[in-house]
Amino acid sequence: MRPFIARPEHGVIWITGASSGIGRALALKLAGEGYKVAVTARSHDKLLELQAEASEQPGSIIVLDGDVTNAEDMEHTVAAIEYQHGPLALAVLNAGIYLPARGEDLNHDVFDRSFAVNLHGVVNCLVPAVRHMRARGHGQVAIVSSAAGYGGLPAGAAYGATKAALINMAESLNFELERMGIHIQLVTPGFVDTPLTGKNKFPMPGSVSAEDAAKSIAAGLKSPGFEITFPKSFTYKAKFLKLLPYSLYFRIIRRIIDGRRPSQASGHHPNPHPAE
């Protein structure tokens, strides 16, 4: 049976973390294709600006304030979509943060905040979304992870761990959700030019704009494939590195990071992580 692929007539698309970056660009892209798009973030003003920008598009933007770290908030958000705006056809779980976690300065706060948003935030949205989709017998879910989840990277003990967990989560859920008629997909971007990566003081190989990322994701959402990854020239190399013995993997990563020492000397710690 062909996987369910959401079309405008099927209902509402919900995008979390839509106030900036990939989420914002994707909301505009899909509204331009005629979809009704519900957007969630903690920044109400930025969501209103997004809504206004999409006012002339064939589709529409619905602003729903909410914090993904609050499970009750997300239950209410999904209920609002279902009972006020139409059936939830597709959930794009995109909200995420990057906080460096370095071995010389480990602390609970970085891990707690990273896991609260990047991992538990996805679960808080996933549970009510899947419940409603299962009742209808069809639906689509896209979990936004990162190529940083393929393997450990310096300063990534918190961020990378959450993204690796999302990869495993999506892979595992695919077995059960497929039987329920719910098409689950995994989004693994490389470097994307967003406010999150704008602070980086080093070259980002294969970096794409948020608009180009949105085009890649929008195209992938219309496909039956499981993984939406881009740019493949970068992400496939990241996948290949993890096939190497650890001794070689660590050596290559250290060599890459050593090439960025000047930015550290100037007081800037490089973030070697693809991020949304």
Short mmCIF file of all heavy atoms in Angstrom, two decimals, residues 158-193:
data_model
loop_
_atom_site.label_atom_id
_atom_site.label_comp_id
_atom_site.label_asym_id
_atom_site.label_seq_id
_atom_site.Cartn_x
_atom_site.Cartn_y
_atom_site.Cartn_z
N ALA A 158 25.31 17.05 23.88
CA ALA A 158 23.88 17.26 24.15
C ALA A 158 23.09 17.32 22.84
O ALA A 158 22.17 16.53 22.62
CB ALA A 158 23.68 18.54 24.95
N TYR A 159 23.45 18.24 21.95
CA TYR A 159 22.72 18.42 20.69
C TYR A 159 22.73 17.15 19.85
O TYR A 159 21.68 16.66 19.41
CB TYR A 159 23.33 19.58 19.91
CG TYR A 159 22.69 19.83 18.57
CD1 TYR A 159 21.50 20.54 18.48
CD2 TYR A 159 23.27 19.36 17.39
CE1 TYR A 159 20.91 20.79 17.25
CE2 TYR A 159 22.68 19.59 16.16
CZ TYR A 159 21.49 20.30 16.09
OH TYR A 159 20.90 20.53 14.88
N GLY A 160 23.93 16.60 19.62
CA GLY A 160 24.04 15.41 18.79
C GLY A 160 23.30 14.22 19.37
O GLY A 160 22.72 13.41 18.65
N ALA A 161 23.32 14.12 20.70
CA ALA A 161 22.62 13.00 21.35
C ALA A 161 21.12 13.09 21.10
O ALA A 161 20.46 12.07 20.85
CB ALA A 161 22.91 13.01 22.84
N THR A 162 20.56 14.30 21.15
CA THR A 162 19.12 14.44 20.89
C THR A 162 18.79 14.11 19.45
O THR A 162 17.77 13.47 19.16
CB THR A 162 18.63 15.87 21.20
OG1 THR A 162 19.26 16.82 20.33
CG2 THR A 162 18.92 16.24 22.65
N LYS A 163 19.65 14.53 18.53
CA LYS A 163 19.38 14.27 17.12
C LYS A 163 19.56 12.80 16.77
O LYS A 163 18.83 12.25 15.94
CB LYS A 163 20.28 15.16 16.25
CG LYS A 163 20.00 16.65 16.41
CD LYS A 163 18.54 16.99 16.13
CE LYS A 163 18.27 18.47 16.22
NZ LYS A 163 16.86 18.80 15.88
N ALA A 164 20.52 12.14 17.40
CA ALA A 164 20.69 10.70 17.21
C ALA A 164 19.47 9.96 17.75
O ALA A 164 19.00 8.98 17.15
CB ALA A 164 21.96 10.22 17.91
N ALA A 165 18.95 10.42 18.89
CA ALA A 165 17.77 9.79 19.47
C ALA A 165 16.57 9.93 18.54
O ALA A 165 15.77 8.99 18.40
CB ALA A 165 17.46 10.42 20.83
N LEU A 166 16.43 11.08 17.89
CA LEU A 166 15.32 11.28 16.95
C LEU A 166 15.43 10.35 15.76
O LEU A 166 14.41 9.84 15.25
CB LEU A 166 15.26 12.74 16.49
CG LEU A 166 14.89 13.77 17.54
CD1 LEU A 166 14.89 15.18 16.92
CD2 LEU A 166 13.54 13.47 18.17
N ILE A 167 16.64 10.13 15.28
CA ILE A 167 16.84 9.20 14.16
C ILE A 167 16.37 7.80 14.57
O ILE A 167 15.60 7.15 13.86
CB ILE A 167 18.32 9.17 13.72
CG1 ILE A 167 18.69 10.51 13.07
CG2 ILE A 167 18.58 8.01 12.75
CD1 ILE A 167 20.17 10.66 12.76
N ASN A 168 16.81 7.34 15.73
CA ASN A 168 16.43 6.02 16.21
C ASN A 168 14.91 5.95 16.45
O ASN A 168 14.27 4.94 16.15
CB ASN A 168 17.20 5.70 17.49
CG ASN A 168 17.04 4.25 17.91
OD1 ASN A 168 15.99 3.86 18.41
ND2 ASN A 168 18.09 3.46 17.74
N MET A 169 14.35 7.02 17.01
CA MET A 169 12.92 7.06 17.29
C MET A 169 12.11 6.90 16.00
O MET A 169 11.17 6.11 15.94
CB MET A 169 12.55 8.39 17.96
CG MET A 169 11.07 8.52 18.28
SD MET A 169 10.63 10.22 18.78
CE MET A 169 11.61 10.39 20.26
N ALA A 170 12.48 7.67 14.98
CA ALA A 170 11.75 7.60 13.71
C ALA A 170 11.88 6.23 13.07
O ALA A 170 10.91 5.68 12.54
CB ALA A 170 12.25 8.69 12.76
N GLU A 171 13.09 5.67 13.10
CA GLU A 171 13.30 4.33 12.53
C GLU A 171 12.43 3.30 13.24
O GLU A 171 11.79 2.45 12.61
CB GLU A 171 14.77 3.94 12.66
CG GLU A 171 15.71 4.74 11.78
CD GLU A 171 17.18 4.48 12.10
OE1 GLU A 171 17.47 3.88 13.15
OE2 GLU A 171 18.03 4.91 11.30
N SER A 172 12.40 3.38 14.57
CA SER A 172 11.64 2.41 15.36
C SER A 172 10.14 2.54 15.12
O SER A 172 9.43 1.55 14.95
CB SER A 172 11.95 2.59 16.84
OG SER A 172 13.32 2.37 17.11
N LEU A 173 9.64 3.78 15.12
CA LEU A 173 8.21 4.00 14.96
C LEU A 173 7.72 3.63 13.57
O LEU A 173 6.53 3.34 13.39
CB LEU A 173 7.88 5.47 15.25
CG LEU A 173 7.95 5.88 16.72
CD1 LEU A 173 7.78 7.39 16.85
CD2 LEU A 173 6.90 5.16 17.54
N ASN A 174 8.61 3.65 12.59
CA ASN A 174 8.21 3.34 11.22
C ASN A 174 7.52 1.98 11.14
O ASN A 174 6.56 1.80 10.38
CB ASN A 174 9.44 3.36 10.30
CG ASN A 174 9.08 3.03 8.86
OD1 ASN A 174 8.36 3.77 8.22
ND2 ASN A 174 9.58 1.91 8.37
N PHE A 175 7.98 1.00 11.92
CA PHE A 175 7.42 -0.35 11.85
C PHE A 175 5.94 -0.36 12.25
O PHE A 175 5.11 -0.97 11.58
CB PHE A 175 8.21 -1.30 12.75
CG PHE A 175 9.62 -1.51 12.30
CD1 PHE A 175 10.67 -0.82 12.92
CD2 PHE A 175 9.92 -2.37 11.26
CE1 PHE A 175 11.98 -1.00 12.51
CE2 PHE A 175 11.23 -2.56 10.84
CZ PHE A 175 12.26 -1.88 11.47
N GLU A 176 5.61 0.33 13.38
CA GLU A 176 4.24 0.32 13.85
C GLU A 176 3.34 1.32 13.12
O GLU A 176 2.20 1.01 12.77
CB GLU A 176 4.18 0.61 15.36
CG GLU A 176 4.74 -0.48 16.25
CD GLU A 176 6.25 -0.41 16.40
OE1 GLU A 176 6.80 0.69 16.15
OE2 GLU A 176 6.85 -1.42 16.77
N LEU A 177 3.86 2.53 12.89
CA LEU A 177 3.02 3.56 12.27
C LEU A 177 2.64 3.19 10.85
O LEU A 177 1.53 3.51 10.39
CB LEU A 177 3.73 4.91 12.30
CG LEU A 177 4.01 5.51 13.68
CD1 LEU A 177 4.51 6.94 13.55
CD2 LEU A 177 2.79 5.46 14.58
N GLU A 178 3.52 2.52 10.16
CA GLU A 178 3.22 2.08 8.79
C GLU A 178 1.96 1.22 8.77
O GLU A 178 1.11 1.35 7.89
CB GLU A 178 4.41 1.31 8.23
CG GLU A 178 4.25 0.89 6.77
CD GLU A 178 5.47 0.14 6.27
OE1 GLU A 178 5.97 -0.75 7.00
OE2 GLU A 178 5.92 0.43 5.15
N ARG A 179 1.83 0.34 9.77
CA ARG A 179 0.66 -0.53 9.83
C ARG A 179 -0.62 0.23 10.16
O ARG A 179 -1.72 -0.22 9.86
CB ARG A 179 0.87 -1.63 10.88
CG ARG A 179 1.97 -2.63 10.52
CD ARG A 179 1.82 -3.91 11.34
NE ARG A 179 1.96 -3.66 12.77
CZ ARG A 179 3.11 -3.72 13.44
NH1 ARG A 179 4.25 -4.02 12.79
NH2 ARG A 179 3.16 -3.50 14.74
N MET A 180 -0.47 1.41 10.78
CA MET A 180 -1.63 2.23 11.12
C MET A 180 -2.04 3.17 9.99
O MET A 180 -3.00 3.92 10.11
CB MET A 180 -1.31 3.10 12.35
CG MET A 180 -0.96 2.35 13.59
SD MET A 180 -0.55 3.55 14.93
CE MET A 180 0.33 2.49 16.05
N GLY A 181 -1.27 3.16 8.90
CA GLY A 181 -1.55 4.07 7.80
C GLY A 181 -0.92 5.44 7.98
O GLY A 181 -1.29 6.39 7.28
N ILE A 182 0.01 5.55 8.93
CA ILE A 182 0.69 6.83 9.18
C ILE A 182 2.07 6.78 8.56
O ILE A 182 2.90 5.94 8.91
CB ILE A 182 0.78 7.12 10.69
CG1 ILE A 182 -0.63 7.18 11.31
CG2 ILE A 182 1.53 8.44 10.93
CD1 ILE A 182 -0.63 7.30 12.82
N HIS A 183 2.32 7.69 7.65
CA HIS A 183 3.59 7.78 6.93
C HIS A 183 4.57 8.64 7.73
O HIS A 183 4.37 9.85 7.85
CB HIS A 183 3.34 8.38 5.55
CG HIS A 183 4.56 8.54 4.70
ND1 HIS A 183 5.63 7.68 4.73
CD2 HIS A 183 4.86 9.48 3.74
CE1 HIS A 183 6.53 8.08 3.86
NE2 HIS A 183 6.10 9.17 3.25
N ILE A 184 5.57 8.02 8.33
CA ILE A 184 6.55 8.78 9.10
C ILE A 184 7.82 8.98 8.28
O ILE A 184 8.26 8.06 7.57
CB ILE A 184 6.88 8.09 10.45
CG1 ILE A 184 7.78 9.00 11.31
CG2 ILE A 184 7.48 6.71 10.25
CD1 ILE A 184 7.91 8.55 12.75
N GLN A 185 8.39 10.17 8.36
CA GLN A 185 9.60 10.50 7.63
C GLN A 185 10.61 11.17 8.57
O GLN A 185 10.25 11.79 9.56
CB GLN A 185 9.29 11.43 6.46
CG GLN A 185 8.47 10.76 5.36
CD GLN A 185 8.09 11.73 4.26
OE1 GLN A 185 7.30 12.64 4.48
NE2 GLN A 185 8.66 11.55 3.09
N LEU A 186 11.88 11.01 8.21
CA LEU A 186 12.99 11.57 8.96
C LEU A 186 13.68 12.62 8.11
O LEU A 186 14.06 12.34 6.96
CB LEU A 186 13.98 10.46 9.32
CG LEU A 186 15.30 10.87 9.98
CD1 LEU A 186 15.05 11.41 11.38
CD2 LEU A 186 16.26 9.69 10.03
N VAL A 187 13.85 13.83 8.64
CA VAL A 187 14.52 14.92 7.92
C VAL A 187 15.89 15.13 8.56
O VAL A 187 16.00 15.40 9.75
CB VAL A 187 13.70 16.22 7.99
CG1 VAL A 187 14.38 17.31 7.16
CG2 VAL A 187 12.27 15.99 7.51
N THR A 188 16.94 14.98 7.76
CA THR A 188 18.31 15.12 8.26
C THR A 188 19.08 16.14 7.42
O THR A 188 19.80 15.78 6.50
CB THR A 188 19.06 13.77 8.26
OG1 THR A 188 18.89 13.14 6.97
CG2 THR A 188 18.51 12.84 9.32
N PRO A 189 18.94 17.42 7.75
CA PRO A 189 19.67 18.46 7.00
C PRO A 189 21.15 18.47 7.35
O PRO A 189 21.55 18.09 8.46
CB PRO A 189 19.01 19.76 7.43
CG PRO A 189 17.96 19.40 8.43
CD PRO A 189 18.13 17.98 8.81
N GLY A 190 21.93 18.97 6.41
CA GLY A 190 23.29 19.34 6.71
C GLY A 190 23.27 20.78 7.22
O GLY A 190 22.35 21.18 7.92
N PHE A 191 24.27 21.59 6.87
CA PHE A 191 24.30 22.98 7.32
C PHE A 191 23.26 23.81 6.57
O PHE A 191 23.19 23.77 5.34
CB PHE A 191 25.68 23.59 7.09
CG PHE A 191 26.74 23.07 8.03
CD1 PHE A 191 27.74 22.23 7.56
CD2 PHE A 191 26.73 23.42 9.37
CE1 PHE A 191 28.72 21.75 8.42
CE2 PHE A 191 27.70 22.95 10.24
CZ PHE A 191 28.70 22.11 9.76
N VAL A 192 22.45 24.53 7.32
CA VAL A 192 21.45 25.43 6.75
C VAL A 192 21.69 26.83 7.33
O VAL A 192 21.92 26.99 8.53
CB VAL A 192 20.01 24.96 7.08
CG1 VAL A 192 18.99 25.92 6.49
CG2 VAL A 192 19.78 23.53 6.55
N ASP A 193 21.64 27.83 6.47
CA ASP A 193 21.89 29.20 6.89
C ASP A 193 20.67 29.74 7.64
O ASP A 193 19.68 30.17 7.05
CB ASP A 193 22.18 30.06 5.66
CG ASP A 193 22.57 31.49 6.03
OD1 ASP A 193 22.80 31.75 7.24
OD2 ASP A 193 22.64 32.34 5.13
#
